[in-house]
Amino acid sequence: MTADGRTLRADARAAPRRGGGTWQAHWETWRPYTTWHPALLGLAGALVAGGSSPGPLAVAVLAPVLGWLAGHYLGDYFDRDLDAIAKPHRPIPSGRLTPPGPR
């Protein structure tokens, strides 16, 4: 609850919406500028283990990247009340992406 008596969820709904559609909101949640880290670590691990064919190398890159992206969604979901205060422009607090069910 805030000083003026409103709940944090009400603050999140009152946050200003930025332009762009759902895909832009997902793009912001993915934070593509951070995906090079797990991709390179997966590739390096596969190469050190002796991988050389494209299929296993692709899996070694994609698996940690997909886990990384899932972590971004989970972090944004569980921090949505804090983000409503500190980062109201983020996709979930701004209402551009809505979490399922009441909280």
Side-chain angles (χ1 to χ4, degrees):
M1 189 168 268
T2 62
D4 62 356
R6 294 183 298 163
T7 63
L8 293 178
R9 285 299 288 164
D11 288 344
R13 281 189 222 113
R17 289 179 177 247
R18 285 183 14 187
T22 303
W23 284 109
Q24 182 179 351
H26 283 288
W27 186 258
E28 289 178 35
T29 301
W30 295 341
R31 297 175 203 119
Y33 54 89
T34 66
T35 57
W36 64 270
H37 184 254
L40 286 179
L41 287 176
L43 179 62
L47 292 174
V48 167
S52 60
S53 59
L57 288 178
V59 170
V61 169
L62 287 176
V65 167
L66 292 176
W68 186 267
L69 294 178
H72 281 290
Y73 278 100
L74 284 172
D76 284 359
Y77 175 78
F78 287 117
D79 288 342
R80 65 187 182 270
D81 292 335
L82 294 172
D83 286 347
I85 297 168
K87 302 175 186 176
H89 62 280
R90 300 280 309 143
I92 292 177
S94 68
R96 291 179 291 138
L97 290 179
T98 56
R103 178 162 175 175

